[in-house]
Amino acid sequence: MKRLNLILSLAFLSIGFQSFAQTNKETTVKIVADKNYTFVANTAMPMANNDISRVLSMMPGAQGGSTINLTGSQYDVRVTKDSVVAFLPYYGRSYSAPLDPSEGGIKFTSKDFTYTESKNKKGAYTIQINTKDVKRENYRFTINISTNGYAQLTASSVNKQPIIFNGYLNEPKKKD
């Protein structure tokens, strides 16, 4: 009976993990080459681990650790040839706070940015995006993309400690 439960659990987990990979190798190559994709965030990992772990462990039902589950949220970064639109939360230490609380997190639209792309021998991509026209502060995004569409985004700026987001790439929605 225990063996059957283990097999069923592993089967459900593998189905769940497969549903997150939204692209295959050809689609990943195409959308990265076209500079037209959306990074969808599933988890956030603040770099100020000790501080965040302490706060998270005090929350009801907390399990500790420093990974924050974002699955089901609408947090993403949309990249096109002419713009980068970010809508991400921020957990960690910020050295200057906005006067308006609705301006918290990593939320911006940038039309002036640098975009550098490199590919390793196994086909994985590393993309560097540096914004130049964000009102409060400019960001540096480093996106590591696997061949099957899984990605890791590291966001850093002068006024905040870096934060890492894990997620996947998605093709942009077609406009009717």
Side-chain angles (χ1 to χ4, degrees):
M1 188 67 171
K2 287 182 181 180
R3 183 171 281 194
L4 179 63
N5 285 341
L6 177 66
I7 292 171
L8 288 175
S9 298
L10 290 175
F12 285 123
L13 282 175
S14 67
I15 290 169
F17 286 131
Q18 289 175 358
S19 67
F20 283 127
Q22 298 296 311
T23 61
N24 56 22
K25 187 174 182 177
E26 294 79 25
T27 306
T28 301
V29 169
K30 178 186 166 293
I31 63 178
V32 171
D34 291 345
K35 295 180 187 170
N36 192 15
Y37 54 89
T38 302
F39 168 81
V40 179
N42 283 335
T43 61
M45 293 183 297
M47 298 305 267
N49 288 339
N50 292 335
D51 298 334
I52 298 298
S53 292
R54 219 170 313 147
V55 172
L56 289 176
S57 67
M58 289 185 242
M59 298 177 106
Q63 298 173 358
S66 61
T67 300
I68 300 164
N69 185 6
L70 303 175
T71 304
S73 303
Q74 300 298 317
Y75 295 118
D76 62 6
V77 176
R78 291 186 308 275
V79 177
T80 62
K81 288 182 182 179
D82 59 349
S83 69
V84 176
V85 180
F87 182 73
L88 295 170
Y90 181 75
Y91 306 96
R93 186 163 290 163
S94 179
Y95 301 110
S96 67
L99 294 175
D100 182 4
S102 68
E103 293 180 5
I106 302 172
K107 300 171 189 150
F108 65 83
T109 299
S110 176
K111 300 251 183 221
D112 185 14
F113 59 92
T114 60
Y115 185 98
T116 311
E117 174 186 320
S118 62
K119 189 175 182 180
N120 70 13
K121 292 177 184 177
K122 294 182 180 180
Y125 293 93
T126 299
I127 296 171
Q128 291 275 339
I129 300 172
N130 295 311
T131 63
K132 298 179 183 179
D133 62 346
V134 178
K135 184 173 69 170
R136 283 192 35 80
E137 63 185 309
N138 287 309
Y139 288 92
R140 167 183 230 149
F141 285 170
T142 303
I143 307 172
N144 296 309
I145 304 167
S146 69
T147 55
N148 61 355
Y150 290 104
Q152 182 180 64
L153 183 145
T154 304
S156 58
S157 72
V158 174
N159 294 322
K160 294 177 180 170
Q161 285 184 328
I163 184 168
I164 297 170
F165 296 95
N166 288 316
Y168 57 90
L169 289 191
N170 222 352
E171 288 184 89
K173 306 274 188 278
K174 304 281 189 225
K175 294 182 181 176
D176 295 332

